[in-house]
Amino acid sequence: MKTARLLVLLAGLAGVSSAALAAEKINVVYHLSEPDRAAFVLNNMQNHIDGVGGPENINMVLVVHGPAINAFNEIEATEKVSSGMASLREQGVDFEMCGNTLKGFNLGLDELLPGFVEVSQGGVTRIGELQTQGYVYIRP
């Protein structure tokens, strides 16, 4: 309790309201490489959004690489994965697919569920970049 009071006091002294402190978004990158974990990870991401009070309080990215690409293949995707991804996209979640994986699996973005962008530098490199930008790394 003393910490919260101190933060409010410091914010007031700095000319920043406690509402402005609360408005700062959390930055999170989720990492997925296993196809059988796709629905689980998407569900975790939704729980995370709900846990922070809604999509307005978080910047979230899912970086996918390796065999997990198969879970997002438009032909092979389960309804749970397809609907989970669509719901998260509506809430502003970014979906990024490893360019090396696309090449390795001989697939194009047009063969995946809608919403992915290609990260040409590779998935793991992208995750590292996001971490240097202050994103918290989560691999459920």
Side-chain angles (χ1 to χ4, degrees):
M1 191 66 170
K2 289 182 181 180
T3 304
R5 287 185 193 152
L6 180 60
L7 286 174
V8 171
L9 176 63
L10 290 173
L13 292 173
V16 179
S17 71
S18 59
L21 283 176
E24 187 173 326
K25 287 187 172 191
I26 299 166
N27 297 316
V28 180
V29 56
Y30 276 77
H31 176 189
L32 177 64
S33 62
E34 302 91 357
D36 59 329
R37 297 186 59 80
F40 174 75
V41 170
L42 295 174
N43 188 61
N44 275 205
M45 294 169 70
Q46 184 60 61
N47 290 342
H48 198 149
I49 291 169
D50 296 343
V52 297
E56 64 277 1
N57 298 318
I58 193 165
N59 294 313
M60 185 179 285
V61 179
L62 174 65
V63 178
V64 177
H65 71 95
I69 193 172
N70 292 323
F72 297 96
N73 185 313
E74 196 164 39
I75 295 171
E76 297 179 29
T78 65
E79 175 57 33
K80 193 169 186 177
V81 169
S82 181
S83 63
M85 183 175 168
S87 175
L88 290 167
R89 279 184 49 227
E90 289 175 10
Q91 296 174 80
V93 173
D94 293 326
F95 289 85
E96 300 183 357
M97 182 61 67
C98 173
N100 297 326
T101 297
L102 285 167
K103 289 175 194 155
F105 282 76
N106 199 30
L107 291 170
L109 286 176
D110 60 333
E111 296 175 85
L112 303 180
L113 294 173
F116 276 101
V117 297
E118 179 180 351
V119 288
S120 60
Q121 71 272 42
V124 293
T125 302
R126 177 65 175 147
I127 290 167
E129 288 174 354
L130 290 168
Q131 287 181 293
T132 65
Q133 295 170 21
Y135 277 70
V136 175
Y137 172 80
I138 299 179
R139 183 174 180 146

